[in-house]
Amino acid sequence: IYNAVAPEPVTNSEFTRVLGKALARPAIFPVPAPVIKLLFGEMSTVLLSSQRVSARKISDAGFAFRFPTLTLALYDLLRPLNLVSGYVYEEVKWLPKAPEEVFPFFS
């Protein structure tokens, strides 16, 4: 049995700071506890209380986290939404035609 937790635990204030940086927006204060309680009700205790869990057991079993840090995870989550500062949308299409055949269409 494994806990489904990230390998790098963070506090509310650290999460707020990293999220602000990923969004290139000021993040001076973490979300106040009363606001979290209002938004999440009883579930707010999970967000506001220390869980004292670790990912050691799953890491020792050989599991490799795709995004081992909060920064990497947030950038991956926010990039498709075009919310990450400096992100440029890029798409590649392969067409089985010569460039001179398809260029007039795309121009």
Side-chain angles (χ1 to χ4, degrees):
I1 298 173
Y2 298 102
N3 289 314
V5 297
E8 180 188 271
V10 295
T11 62
N12 183 11
S13 59
E14 187 175 355
F15 179 85
T16 302
R17 181 184 57 74
V18 173
L19 179 62
K21 186 176 179 182
L23 293 172
R25 301 235 162 54
I28 301 168
F29 303 105
V31 178
V35 173
I36 292 176
K37 288 177 183 176
L38 181 66
L39 292 172
F40 295 101
E42 287 183 35
M43 192 176 119
S44 66
T45 57
V46 173
L47 299 170
L48 297 171
S49 302
S50 175
Q51 299 299 307
R52 301 284 185 217
V53 293
S54 78
R56 183 181 51 82
K57 193 176 183 182
I58 196 168
S59 294
D60 289 349
F63 181 81
F65 287 88
R66 186 172 176 191
F67 306 106
T69 66
L70 177 63
T71 301
L72 293 173
L74 285 177
Y75 274 81
D76 184 70
L77 286 169
L78 299 172
R79 187 186 57 216
L81 302 175
N82 202 17
L83 296 175
V84 177
S85 174
Y87 176 74
V88 175
Y89 181 76
E90 182 178 316
E91 176 131 2
V92 176
K93 296 284 186 201
W94 181 83
L95 300 171
K97 301 276 185 193
E100 51 276 354
E101 290 181 70
V102 295
F103 184 77
F105 174 80
F106 287 103
S107 66

